Amino acid sequence: MLTIKNLYSTIDSKQILRGLNLEVKPGEVHAIMGPNGSGKSTLASVLAGREEYEVTDGEIAFNGKNLLELAPEDRAREGIFLAFQYPVEIPGVSNINFLKAALNEIRNYQGKEQISAKDFLKLVNEKSKLVELDGQLTNRSVNEGFSGGEKKRNEIFQMAMLEPKLAILDETDSGLDIDALRIVANGVNAMRSPERSFIVITHYQRLLDYIVPDFVHVLYKGRIVKSGSKELALDLEAKGYDWIKEEEVTQ
Amino acid sequence: MAYEGDKILDSVTQKEYEFGFTTNIESDKAPAGLNEDIIRLISEKKREPSWMLEWRLEAFANWKKMTEPSWAHVHYPQPDFQSISYYSAPKSRPKLNSLDELDPEMRKTMNKLGISLEEQKRLSGVAVDFVMDSVSVATSFKGKLAELGIIFCSISEAIREHPELVRKYIGTVVPRTDNFYAALNSSVFTDGSFCYIPKGVRCPMELSTYFRINEGGTGQFERTLLIADEGSYVSYLEGCTAPMRDENQLHAAVVELIAHKDAEIKYSTVQNWYPGNDEGVGGVFNFVTKRGLCEGDRSKISWTQVETGSAITWKYPSCILKGDSSVGEFYSVAVTNKFQQADTGTKMTHIGKNTKSTIISKGISAGKSQNSYRGLVHINKSASHARNFSQCDSLLMTDTCGAHTFPYIEVNNKTACVEHEATTSKIGEDQIFYCLQRGIDMEKAISLIVNGYAKEVLNKLPMEFAVEAQKLLAVSLEGSVG
């Protein structure tokens, strides 16, 4: 599904990613952990196509296409979804209208017809239940006046509506209480399928109790320095990152 | 809001009507320059009664003593008033054989606005074949209004056919001495609309200048007079979203509204005159005086405007709240792009007791434009328990444009309550990226964000107008970010 080879990226001419490699196959859940400033959010931004991040070397293939040649909106239409660490407020634009616009753009790209009002509302009803999102929230302006938890649940709701092939969750667990964490995780788990892959970026092992990953990677200084199974996350939780940093130094 | 009349209007918009009507097209054009003889000529051509001529001449005498206002935050070369021709027959635009002959840029814009092919032909002057249908549609439209006793015609026709009404009201809200441009308009106006809604009548359809027959093109000096008698209601639409090109650089319109006891007037404008080219050359100077008088108790006047066109806009639709418990509203979206300059806002003058006014102004500036809100809330000594709420927001699309707010508040009664809120924000790259990441392209993203920002105002427009206005905002701001 996704193949990242030797990826180098800078922002404001500061080198962040330094030769990152990652292979994600359909249906897999990859957790990416790592100390602050290691490049986790940069990876998410580069995959989504944020302009400020310049890719200086390497390649990214997504379902056979060169991702780096695609505009951000086309990446989304190809099935890449980014759940934002800080979801953005758009005053005056209702969540529903926003999603309808997005969904129809994606359908249009895929050569499908515009969704009918009836089917759309049915979908909204069905998917909002996944994340226990109040009907009122779906009608309010995008993220405006939402609590931190509501914003994150709204991201997962959007993901459920848009049914991406690859979902990137950028610290979706940050700022969530236990209940909200469980709701968000349940939403994600309900979306897991043999065709859909996830990249879960997080600082804490806790989220991975709920969303159990197939692989855990440690990102450090812009590279994946260690990969393992879900137990690696437990090790990290217990020991911190210092032992990995030391390993790096000795190498 | 599904008036039966809407269907008629809809069917009219889908068809061509303009070429099906016979107007008395005078082929002559007055020589350039402004003097009493020209005014006499205008009055004579319009077959006006002598009082109207006298009224014009007095206005002209006033105008000669006045100077152009210079307080607005706009800069432009002063028009040479003696080089303008003040009377010409309705313009007959060059006839095109098909839309292929139309300026491709113009056509692209019309397509983006979703204007039907037929409508495009009408607007651009392509010769059309079917006219009989639209004649009958428009006639039944007029017939319906006549049954209710509603008078809706050109101002020239009203001066001839309903002189008692025109004479009673003209200049009572915007006096001839009001300002330089109003005085000029009073001297030389040749086009415009007249509307009278009798007591207790609720006008069953949105009235629009757009559908008024016997009037060729929009005039340079338009005069509109609209009277809602006791307990009546009317919603009036002015302008259209299609790009309007006009060789007249100076436009100075006057609009007067009078609402009697318990009457309500809703006046909506979409203004999309030629804003000049990408270098800021050309474009219409739009100096408009619009004012409504809430004469009777519990009367209400509501102005809604979407301003996207013109090189210079100088316009302050205002309300005089004379009747007790009368209500004035002003909802505005003003977009400036490229080198456009807009100085627009409102004046709410509270005279009656318990009067209430609301001002919602949304400025959107892009390119190298300058966008100013200028508003006055005046509470008279007599206006006990008057209330005003003002909200003036500015949205900046670039680092090179300007947004300015000039609120004036004068309170002479201690029981009054006046609130003013203002915000300035820049369109967020984060917001745009968020939309892109959901599969929405840049153009649609800007449209969504801007329409969300202006929603409070757009919601006040009649339904079909609102849909067009949304598209218009997007088109006006195309390529303005990034």
Side-chain angles (χ1 to χ4, degrees):
Chain A
M1 162 131 359
L2 179 76
T3 311
I4 304 175
K5 278 189 191 153
N6 195 33
L7 185 66
Y8 282 78
S9 172
T10 58
I11 181 163
D12 297 333
S13 49
K14 196 180 159 212
Q15 193 75 45
I16 308 286
L17 298 183
R18 299 177 172 93
L20 185 140
N21 294 292
L22 182 67
E23 169 90 38
V24 179
K25 295 204 171 75
E28 291 178 350
V29 175
H30 290 246
I32 297 195
M33 304 184 77
N36 289 329
S38 58
K40 300 188 298 294
S41 285
T42 296
L43 174 62
S45 296
V46 167
L47 287 173
R50 246 198 131 106
E51 231 181 25
E52 306 91 284
Y53 292 85
E54 200 190 335
V55 173
T56 49
D57 200 6
E59 44 195 81
I60 307 176
F62 180 66
N63 285 332
K65 289 197 171 134
N66 180 355
L67 195 71
L68 296 174
E69 278 179 358
L70 294 176
E73 63 270 31
D74 286 338
R75 298 183 192 195
R77 294 163 185 172
E78 287 284 346
I80 289 185
F81 181 93
L82 172 62
F84 283 64
Q85 185 177 359
Y86 305 107
V88 179
E89 298 186 3
I90 310 179
V93 178
S94 80
N95 227 352
I96 290 293
N97 278 342
F98 178 74
L99 269 174
K100 197 168 180 196
L103 188 60
N104 277 329
E105 289 285 311
I106 292 169
R107 289 174 71 100
N108 186 38
Y109 184 84
Q110 295 169 346
K112 290 184 195 158
E113 276 180 23
Q114 305 265 300
I115 191 165
S116 74
K118 195 176 144 218
D119 290 346
F120 180 72
L121 286 177
K122 223 173 105 189
L123 201 62
V124 167
N125 268 333
E126 180 194 325
K127 304 293 187 183
S128 57
K129 283 192 192 109
L130 269 183
V131 284
E132 302 175 28
L133 203 61
D134 195 292
Q136 280 189 323
L137 286 186
T138 56
N139 281 311
R140 277 191 2 217
S141 294
V142 179
N143 292 322
E144 196 187 28
F146 285 30
S147 71
E150 284 168 345
K151 282 183 184 173
K152 296 298 177 77
R153 270 151 62 192
N154 193 25
E155 292 293 287
I156 304 304
F157 168 58
Q158 292 185 17
M159 177 177 85
M161 288 291 295
L162 301 180
E163 301 188 318
K165 296 190 181 93
L166 171 67
I168 305 153
L169 312 186
D170 189 5
E171 298 196 23
T172 298
D173 53 337
S174 68
L176 291 186
D177 61 29
I178 294 288
D179 289 334
L181 185 73
R182 185 183 44 78
I183 292 169
V184 162
N186 286 346
V188 171
N189 286 332
M191 295 275 301
R192 285 180 78 157
S193 84
E195 292 83 39
R196 186 171 292 127
S197 313
F198 291 84
I199 294 177
V200 180
I201 294 170
T202 181
H203 272 292
Y204 304 105
Q205 195 274 330
R206 195 181 60 177
L207 176 67
L208 305 180
D209 284 342
Y210 295 96
I211 305 172
V212 181
D214 299 301
F215 301 95
V216 174
H217 308 279
V218 179
L219 192 59
Y220 180 60
K221 288 189 174 171
R223 289 193 306 126
I224 288 175
V225 293
K226 200 162 194 67
S227 297
S229 62
K230 61 179 197 252
E231 282 74 27
L232 176 58
L234 292 168
D235 282 355
L236 290 170
E237 181 83 354
K239 299 197 264 177
Y241 290 109
D242 284 351
W243 61 283
I244 285 180
K245 292 179 188 170
E246 276 161 27
E247 271 185 22
E248 272 297 286
V249 172
T250 52
Q251 277 172 20
Chain B
M1 290 266 294
Y3 301 127
E4 195 189 333
D6 283 350
K7 286 184 202 149
I8 299 175
L9 296 188
D10 278 350
S11 57
V12 172
T13 53
Q14 301 307 316
K15 295 194 174 81
E16 305 77 19
Y17 62 86
E18 192 174 47
F19 302 98
F21 296 101
T22 49
T23 30
N24 285 325
I25 297 176
E26 286 111 327
S27 57
D28 50 354
K29 184 170 178 173
L34 183 52
N35 53 50
E36 289 200 359
D37 287 343
I38 294 291
I39 292 168
R40 283 176 206 283
L41 174 78
I42 291 170
S43 194
E44 191 190 326
K45 288 284 179 197
K46 293 282 174 186
R47 291 179 285 130
E48 290 177 352
S50 58
W51 62 265
M52 195 70 241
L53 174 62
E54 289 307 316
W55 195 86
R56 288 176 182 274
L57 291 172
E58 281 168 33
F60 180 59
N62 283 323
W63 179 75
K64 283 194 289 190
K65 291 182 231 149
M66 298 169 96
T67 49
E68 249 187 293
S70 58
W71 41 262
H73 188 70
V74 292
H75 305 278
Y76 57 93
Q78 195 187 2
D80 177 0
F81 295 98
Q82 293 303 335
S83 72
I84 296 170
S85 168
Y86 289 87
Y87 182 81
S88 67
K91 285 173 288 295
S92 56
R93 285 169 293 187
K95 291 274 189 293
L96 309 177
N97 292 316
S98 83
L99 279 173
D100 297 336
E101 294 173 28
L102 186 63
D103 175 6
E105 274 302 307
M106 186 96 160
R107 232 195 130 178
K108 214 169 100 190
T109 308
M110 291 220 209
N111 285 332
K112 282 191 178 143
L113 286 168
I115 293 168
S116 71
L117 280 181
E118 282 69 29
E119 188 66 3
Q120 288 188 20
K121 286 182 188 166
R122 192 188 69 74
L123 291 164
S124 51
V126 172
V128 289
D129 307 322
F130 311 101
V131 288
M132 286 316 293
D133 268 6
S134 41
V135 173
S136 56
V137 169
T139 306
S140 67
F141 167 73
K142 274 210 136 181
K144 248 182 159 28
L145 294 178
E147 268 171 38
L148 294 163
I150 295 170
I151 304 167
F152 182 40
C153 60
S154 75
I155 191 86
S156 304
E157 193 184 329
I159 290 166
R160 290 193 299 270
E161 307 293 326
H162 309 281
E164 71 297 339
L165 281 173
V166 177
R167 199 171 181 179
K168 183 174 171 190
Y169 289 107
I170 195 167
T172 57
V173 187
V174 179
R176 287 165 292 175
T177 49
D178 190 78
N179 68 68
F180 184 83
Y181 291 108
L184 179 64
N185 176 288
S186 301
S187 318
V188 300
F189 71 88
T190 49
D191 304 282
S193 306
F194 176 82
C195 178
Y196 173 80
I197 315 288
K199 275 186 194 171
V201 170
R202 200 179 159 85
C203 186
M205 57 190 86
E206 317 268 354
L207 291 185
S208 168
T209 48
Y210 202 49
F211 303 105
R212 202 189 54 230
I213 41 183
N214 280 330
E215 204 66 45
T218 306
Q220 197 174 3
F221 300 100
E222 272 206 90
R223 184 101 196 176
T224 300
L225 180 56
L226 202 165
I227 302 129
D229 217 327
E230 288 181 16
S232 66
Y233 167 85
V234 62
S235 168
Y236 189 93
L237 315 181
E238 174 196 65
C240 73
T241 53
M244 297 295 261
R245 295 210 180 213
D246 194 309
E247 69 255 34
N248 295 318
Q249 194 173 35
L250 177 67
H251 281 242
V254 170
V255 175
E256 295 179 279
L257 313 181
I258 295 116
H260 286 286
K261 203 170 81 176
D262 295 308
E264 179 177 350
I265 301 173
K266 192 170 153 55
Y267 195 103
S268 313
T269 305
V270 171
Q271 187 266 115
N272 188 21
W273 292 102
Y274 182 51
N277 69 10
D278 290 354
E279 281 76 47
V281 178
V284 166
F285 294 180
N286 197 23
F287 302 110
V288 185
T289 308
K290 288 183 168 179
R291 196 172 301 151
L293 172 64
C294 284
E295 167 75 38
D297 293 350
R298 294 172 304 278
S299 56
K300 179 177 175 183
I301 290 178
S302 182
W303 298 99
T304 305
Q305 61 172 18
V306 175
E307 300 279 318
T308 60
S310 298
I312 312 278
T313 299
W314 181 96
K315 180 179 173 187
Y316 315 90
S318 303
C319 296
I320 300 167
L321 304 171
K322 188 175 161 201
D324 289 346
S325 304
S326 59
V327 175
E329 293 175 336
F330 174 74
Y331 301 102
S332 169
V333 177
V335 179
T336 53
N337 198 354
K338 294 167 186 167
F339 289 88
Q340 283 176 277
Q341 304 174 63
D343 195 299
T344 184
T346 185
K347 282 193 279 186
M348 293 291 176
T349 306
H350 292 252
I351 298 169
K353 296 183 186 68
N354 299 314
T355 46
K356 199 178 145 192
S357 63
T358 306
I359 299 170
I360 309 283
S361 165
K362 301 272 182 177
I364 302 167
S365 334
K368 294 185 172 155
S369 67
Q370 295 294 328
N371 198 329
S372 305
Y373 167 81
R374 187 182 303 276
L376 167 68
V377 176
H378 176 88
I379 310 280
N380 208 295
K381 220 168 143 183
S382 56
S384 51
H385 302 286
R387 281 163 59 197
N388 161 266
F389 174 75
S390 302
Q391 185 186 331
C392 305
D393 296 332
S394 305
L395 184 68
L396 302 168
M397 309 290 285
T398 57
D399 296 329
T400 48
C401 58
H404 316 269
T405 306
F406 303 97
Y408 304 85
I409 297 172
E410 299 166 3
V411 179
N412 298 311
N413 185 305
K414 281 182 190 163
T415 61
C417 172
V418 176
E419 285 174 78
H420 181 94
E421 286 178 13
T423 66
T424 302
S425 50
K426 190 168 182 296
I427 193 162
E429 281 170 14
D430 286 347
Q431 287 177 327
I432 290 173
F433 183 70
Y434 193 71
C435 295
L436 294 177
Q437 212 300 306
R438 297 299 182 251
I440 300 167
D441 65 32
M442 176 78 88
E443 212 171 285
K444 286 213 177 71
I446 290 173
S447 166
L448 265 179
I449 295 164
V450 166
N451 280 303
Y453 164 78
K455 194 165 109 184
E456 277 169 281
V457 174
L458 297 176
N459 277 351
K460 299 289 174 186
L461 287 172
M463 192 58 173
E464 65 273 29
F465 228 34
V467 174
E468 285 181 33
Q470 283 187 16
K471 290 185 188 153
L472 179 61
L473 288 190
V475 169
S476 306
L477 289 166
E478 216 164 71
S480 58
V481 164

